[in-house]
Amino acid sequence: MSSVPESSAAAGSGRTIPGTPAPVTAFPAVGTSVPGSVGTSLQILRSLDSGPRGLVEAHAEERLARFGENVLPAWRPVPWPRRFVRSLRDPFTSVLLCLGLVSAVVSAWGTACVILALVAVSCLLRSTEEHRADRSTAALRELVATTATVVRRTSADAPSREREVPVADLVPGDVIRLGPGDLVPADVRVLRAGGLTVHQSALTGESAPVAKHPLDAPDPALAGAGPFAQPQLCFQGSSVTSGSGTAVITATGGATRFAAAHDGRARQRGASAFDRSVQGISWTLIRFMLLTPPLVLMANAALRGRGLETLPFAVAVAVGLTPEMLPVIVTTALARGAARLARTSGVIVKRLPALHDLGAVDVLCLDKTGTLTEDRPVVEAAVDGSDLPDPGVLRWAALSALWTLQLAELPAPDALDEAVLDAAEHPEDSAYEGVAALPFDPVRRVATAVLRRPGRLGVHTLVTKGAVEAVLERCALDGEERERLLALAARKAESGLRLLAVARADRPARHGGYTPADERGLTFVGLVALRDVPAPSAADALDVLARRGVTVKVLTGDHPGTAARVCEDLGLRTDPAGGCGEVVTAELVDTLSDAELARVADRATVFARCTPEHKARIVSALRAAGHTIGFLGDGVNDLPALHAADVGICPRNAVDVAREAADVVLAEKDLTAIDRAVLAGRHSSGNIATYLRITLSSNLGNVIAMLTAGLMLPFLPMLPAQVLVQNLCFDAAQLAFAFDRPGASALRRPAVLRSRDFLRFITGFGLLNAAADLATFGVLALALHNAAGTDGEAAFHAGWFTENLLTQALVMVLLRTGRSAAERRAGGPLRAAAGGLAVVGVLLPLTPLGPLLGMSALPLLYYLLLGSVLGLYAVGLTAARRRYERRR
């Protein structure tokens, strides 16, 4: 390999490299050859103008400038103008736009202009906030940016060196290193591998990892097989499960098979819990809005003999029911919450709707290691098969851990191996020489090191350690002995210990590689018992989460007794007799249907012996039962569950593939950080829910009053332009909802938007608002009894305009559900916005703008009588709010 010529720059255009076996710009059909699949490794390196020592830095920079970044086209930032146009697809914005066009068709130009102004403001604010949030998220994401280990040289004669570079900077011809947990950053050809297996489920749907290794000679058994069956090829979107390897990149960016198979729609998540809730409420209101104009037209035609001249008023009434600021409020509230989390807690929210879903989480699933316990267990004892202390057991385990770590090129030992190495004396004994290693993976659940022992020429010793059941399956034991050892392990596990079984076997030395098939006929050596140390903050954090209405469930691969002991030490009851949960094993999960699993998962606290597929199925069952699920994971085996949960959460030091799949990235794997994130989600969700309740109840009351007044009065109760100016003033004040601080009660329980609860709320308080509006008619009749004609109409319009804005200001202050009297008296943006709205309502009819809008000054008597109506309305609102809170 060292003789491979390494010329300078790659010629050509696009992504084509001179001599590449297949055009890198084209995506081949399934079953045909793909870039890097034809020829020996040496030929592939030559065709890519590269070599085993990697590219020269200057040549890599030239290729990056010519071929572009290694970024999928669908992942590039969305330009601001495109965001603006895309915001028109919001249901309410679309309806507003349609109503504006209808107004223009009937020559109601004033109405059309105001409606289109509302549309423009809504789209402008929404697209600006989304663009700003995306920029902030992109900047924060760089803190956990995915990188790859690449082999490059500073000059043609310089030695090669490994360094971490952003995945976006990789180019065809780069030589990279792959290790457990790494994402495969591009389409690659494997040059060297040691126990390398990858998950290809993102591309093929198969859950089992696939072995990968170099292949220079054609394999007749693979003739006609698809590209994913080729052992020498790995594709972007795959992840390394175990082992390590060296590979050369053959295609990047949009030329990869992942880019062709997964367009932009592939990265789009399904509707979140929040999206589904808001859409349910939205479409109910939209249907009502679409029915309102024809009902108004028919009623006025039947009772007042009015024709199409009432169409602008009917359109304005429909607009009055629209919470047109909903997209803006949602985006602003979530973006502010995400920015605050990043600033104060180092928590990165990669998908804004996930922040609401965090607030709605009522079940949090997690593995205990590193969360409930410290990442490093402590060795408690090492015993032989007779349960007698035996230091040799620990020594064999340490040798297996040491040589597996070195030969498989693992980036670091896992927690169990590290504890074994710390407890062993001189595990680096030079008398033993490593020959090969089969690293641990979650399917086999064992790891094997092949050693050459001193004085044993021609003999290799296989040392296997791992889960007790998995190791005993590979030992040459009769049934009775196996059952005895399993019973011994069960007794120790039930006392809260974690166990590693150790076995070994001597084999004739050979030059060929070792495979999992060699892990048979072993001799049992003994057990290494380890004790988990609870995390210092875990107990307090679990107590806080319980008080917030979040149920914690532990999904672990450990023994049931080990998991149960840790959970009980931390206050998580697992005794079914206590009614607080039970321990469920993976074996039981396999026997349950989806419906049965949903019922069992609802009451269980601990799931033991879980594989990645078990975790994902349990999460899906809990979601099907109506829960909003958060899943905290940091490893490759957590990937299916991260995708299945409503909110995928991982710490910043998680493996690359987990960070890419997660919606929320924590500064560290700590339940306290999750509590802060949940609070931020409830904060934002509480503001959104308050906005919806207040706006919809106020709007509904105004619409009912306008429809009633339109049938009672000989003139329109409010001109279309007045209705829309009133809405514009209310919309400006409603922006304060995104900056409000919700009451303490809103933070004590999951923030779930229930359509039925909302409709009940807005109907009750909307009718109360309508009653206040209708009472104002009486006040106006008394105050304006001497007015007539046009002056009377203008005064009536001014009086009702003022009353509407004042009642809306009262609603903003008094309907902040769950707030104490002290909180309501405190200042804040919402009180300031309500005060400004009240001032506009009183002063606007008195300004020169009033006559232009068809309003005139009002007598002092009206304001005195209106004060009485507003006082009674405030008393009624307060009483109704307290009754509503007691019923909740």
Side-chain angles (χ1 to χ4, degrees):
M1 299 287 286
S2 59
S3 62
V4 177
E6 312 210 21
S7 57
S8 57
S13 59
R15 293 180 183 266
T16 304
I17 305 291
T20 304
V24 183
T25 52
F27 179 75
V30 174
T32 64
S33 64
V34 294
S37 63
V38 180
T40 66
S41 298
L42 182 62
Q43 290 171 336
I44 297 301
L45 285 168
R46 284 175 173 170
S47 69
L48 292 168
D49 217 2
S50 182
R53 294 192 297 150
L55 295 174
V56 176
E57 291 284 1
H59 301 164
E61 293 176 2
E62 291 176 10
R63 295 189 183 190
L64 182 63
R66 186 179 305 151
F67 307 141
E69 293 185 337
N70 179 33
V71 179
L72 295 182
W75 297 9
R76 297 183 184 278
V78 179
W80 184 87
R82 185 180 299 175
R83 288 190 183 278
F84 184 88
V85 174
R86 196 169 63 184
S87 62
L88 292 172
R89 295 185 299 182
D90 177 79
F92 284 121
T93 305
S94 300
V95 171
L96 275 177
L97 184 60
C98 293
L99 293 175
L101 295 177
V102 170
S103 299
V105 169
V106 298
S107 301
W109 300 111
T111 303
C113 290
V114 175
I115 292 177
L116 295 177
L118 287 174
V119 171
V121 169
S122 177
C123 292
L124 179 65
L125 289 175
R126 181 178 187 181
S127 55
T128 299
E129 286 297 335
E130 285 187 349
H131 186 65
R132 183 180 303 164
D134 271 9
R135 285 193 304 172
S136 300
T137 304
L140 292 170
R141 191 179 289 130
E142 291 180 0
L143 297 175
V144 290
T146 301
T147 61
T149 303
V150 67
V151 179
R152 286 182 181 171
R153 296 166 292 150
T154 56
S155 65
D157 298 328
S160 60
R161 61 187 181 92
E162 297 180 6
R163 69 184 185 93
E164 294 290 317
V165 301
V167 166
D169 293 345
L170 296 176
V171 296
D174 262 330
V175 175
I176 62 172
R177 307 290 194 203
L178 297 173
D182 287 345
L183 286 170
V184 178
D187 289 356
V188 302
R189 167 74 178 249
V190 176
L191 303 177
R192 185 170 62 84
L196 182 64
T197 62
V198 301
H199 266 299
Q200 300 182 149
S201 57
L203 295 163
T204 65
E206 57 184 333
S207 59
V210 179
K212 297 291 182 179
H213 55 82
L215 183 66
D216 283 342
D219 187 347
L222 298 175
F228 300 114
Q230 303 294 327
Q232 76 277 24
L233 299 180
C234 296
F235 299 93
Q236 185 179 40
S238 306
S239 59
V240 179
T241 305
S242 63
S244 60
T246 301
V248 61
I249 294 177
T250 59
T252 61
T256 63
R257 180 167 285 266
F258 186 86
H262 294 70
D263 58 13
R265 293 185 297 273
R267 282 182 58 86
Q268 295 176 2
R269 302 281 294 254
S272 66
F274 172 68
D275 293 332
R276 293 191 297 271
S277 299
V278 171
Q279 287 175 5
I281 298 169
S282 299
W283 284 110
T284 299
L285 294 172
I286 287 172
R287 293 185 187 98
F288 186 77
M289 288 164 49
L290 295 177
L291 289 175
T292 298
L295 289 176
V296 172
L297 289 175
M298 289 187 291
N300 277 274
L303 300 178
R304 291 293 176 182
R306 301 172 185 150
L308 288 178
E309 67 270 14
T310 60
L311 180 58
F313 174 72
V315 172
V317 170
V319 173
L321 189 63
T322 308
E324 57 270 11
M325 296 302 290
L326 178 61
V328 179
I329 299 295
V330 169
T331 303
T332 305
L334 295 180
R336 288 189 71 251
R340 185 168 54 249
L341 261 181
R343 184 175 60 253
T344 61
S345 304
V347 176
I348 300 172
V349 179
K350 296 168 58 180
R351 183 176 61 91
L352 277 185
L355 184 59
H356 166 271
D357 292 339
L358 265 176
V361 163
D362 60 339
V363 175
L364 175 64
C365 298
L366 47 82
D367 193 347
K368 67 179 182 63
T369 305
T371 308
L372 302 182
T373 62
E374 293 183 347
D375 276 327
R376 295 183 63 175
V378 176
V379 173
E380 182 85 358
V383 298
D384 60 16
S386 300
D387 200 17
L388 298 175
D390 184 352
V393 176
L394 182 60
R395 181 177 180 81
W396 283 116
L399 286 170
S400 175
L402 176 67
W403 286 108
T404 301
L405 176 66
Q406 293 186 10
L407 295 177
E409 297 182 356
L410 301 178
D414 66 16
L416 296 180
D417 283 351
E418 200 164 11
V420 169
L421 291 170
D422 286 345
E425 295 182 3
H426 309 296
E428 69 281 359
D429 193 334
S430 59
Y432 294 87
E433 180 182 353
V435 176
L438 300 174
F440 180 89
D441 70 63
V443 178
R444 289 164 48 243
R445 300 172 66 197
V446 298
T448 297
V450 182
L451 310 177
R452 185 179 293 114
R453 299 166 62 187
R456 301 294 301 274
L457 294 177
V459 176
H460 287 168
T461 299
L462 278 71
V463 184
T464 299
K465 62 175 177 54
V468 175
E469 294 90 340
V471 171
L472 292 180
E473 286 177 1
R474 292 162 168 80
C475 291
L477 299 170
D478 57 36
E480 182 178 347
E481 180 67 7
R482 181 177 288 107
E483 291 301 321
R484 186 186 68 81
L485 291 173
L486 285 174
L488 171 63
R491 289 195 302 273
K492 289 187 171 295
E494 286 168 1
S495 66
L497 296 175
R498 303 176 68 182
L499 298 174
L500 280 176
V502 183
R504 66 184 179 88
D506 291 335
R507 299 278 193 270
R510 69 189 192 201
H511 296 292
Y514 286 84
T515 69
D518 295 306
E519 299 169 332
R520 293 290 183 270
L522 307 178
T523 300
F524 181 76
V525 175
L527 299 171
V528 178
L530 303 100
R531 174 173 48 86
D532 284 319
V533 180
S537 62
D540 292 338
L542 288 172
D543 184 57
V544 171
L545 287 171
R547 291 200 304 268
R548 300 200 193 285
V550 178
T551 301
V552 174
K553 296 183 182 294
V554 178
L555 279 58
T556 179
D558 283 343
H559 186 279
T562 307
R565 175 64 180 271
V566 171
C567 293
E568 290 177 358
D569 287 345
L570 292 171
L572 278 176
R573 291 288 303 278
T574 59
D575 179 10
C580 298
E582 59 183 79
V583 179
V584 176
T585 62
E587 290 78 8
L588 176 60
V589 171
D590 289 333
T591 65
L592 300 175
S593 66
D594 290 342
E596 292 170 337
L597 179 58
R599 291 192 294 271
V600 170
D602 204 29
R603 66 176 185 267
T605 300
V606 177
F607 294 85
R609 295 303 192 200
C610 290
T611 66
E613 290 71 28
H614 287 127
K615 293 182 180 182
R617 189 174 173 223
I618 293 165
V619 169
S620 298
L622 288 167
R623 288 189 68 190
H627 296 287
T628 302
I629 308 300
F631 183 86
L632 173 62
D634 61 356
V636 175
N637 60 326
D638 295 319
L639 187 60
L642 286 170
H643 282 298
D646 290 285
V647 186
I649 310 168
C650 77
R652 186 175 298 176
N653 60 357
V655 297
D656 293 346
V657 65
R659 287 205 309 263
E660 188 64 34
D663 302 305
V664 178
V665 180
L666 306 177
E668 55 188 9
K669 196 174 182 181
D670 182 13
L671 288 180
T672 304
I674 294 182
D675 176 60
R676 292 193 293 267
V678 167
L679 280 182
R682 293 184 183 181
H683 188 138
S684 299
S685 300
N687 287 342
I688 294 168
T690 301
Y691 160 77
L692 280 171
R693 289 192 180 99
I694 292 176
T695 300
L696 294 177
S697 60
S698 180
N699 287 357
L700 181 62
N702 288 338
V703 167
I704 293 173
M706 279 193 287
L707 292 176
T708 304
L711 299 178
M712 293 171 54
L713 299 174
F715 54 85
L716 293 178
M718 191 175 287
L719 298 178
Q722 296 166 358
V723 174
L724 296 172
V725 169
Q726 172 186 279
N727 289 341
L728 195 58
C729 294
F730 196 24
D731 290 341
Q734 287 169 343
L735 280 174
F737 283 109
F739 302 88
D740 192 27
R741 296 183 62 185
S745 65
L747 305 179
R748 285 197 293 265
R749 55 181 178 268
V752 180
L753 303 177
R754 295 184 175 89
S755 300
R756 184 173 300 178
D757 179 58
F758 263 92
L759 293 177
R760 187 184 304 115
F761 182 96
I762 66 175
T763 300
F765 285 93
L767 292 175
L768 187 60
N769 183 275
D773 287 344
L774 294 176
T776 304
F777 296 164
V779 169
L780 286 169
L782 183 61
L784 304 175
H785 67 279
N786 292 326
T790 304
D791 292 340
E793 291 182 20
F796 184 94
H797 293 156
W800 200 14
F801 180 89
T802 297
E803 184 268 348
N804 274 336
L805 291 189
L806 290 177
T807 54
Q808 288 174 341
L810 270 178
V811 167
M812 289 178 65
V813 174
L814 297 180
L815 283 192
R816 295 154 79 185
T817 306
R819 288 180 173 269
S820 65
E823 287 176 310
R824 288 193 294 275
R825 284 194 298 269
L830 204 58
R831 287 179 62 85
L837 187 64
V839 169
V840 171
V842 172
L843 297 182
L844 184 62
L846 306 178
T847 65
L849 188 59
L852 294 177
L853 293 173
M855 295 185 288
S856 63
L858 292 160
L860 181 60
L861 177 61
Y862 168 74
Y863 293 103
L864 296 176
L865 295 174
L866 179 60
S868 301
V869 172
L870 293 177
L872 293 173
Y873 180 51
V875 171
L877 273 180
T878 303
R881 179 181 56 79
R882 289 176 179 171
R883 181 172 181 270
Y884 172 77
E885 290 177 359
R886 284 196 301 268
R887 293 184 63 181
R888 293 189 71 190

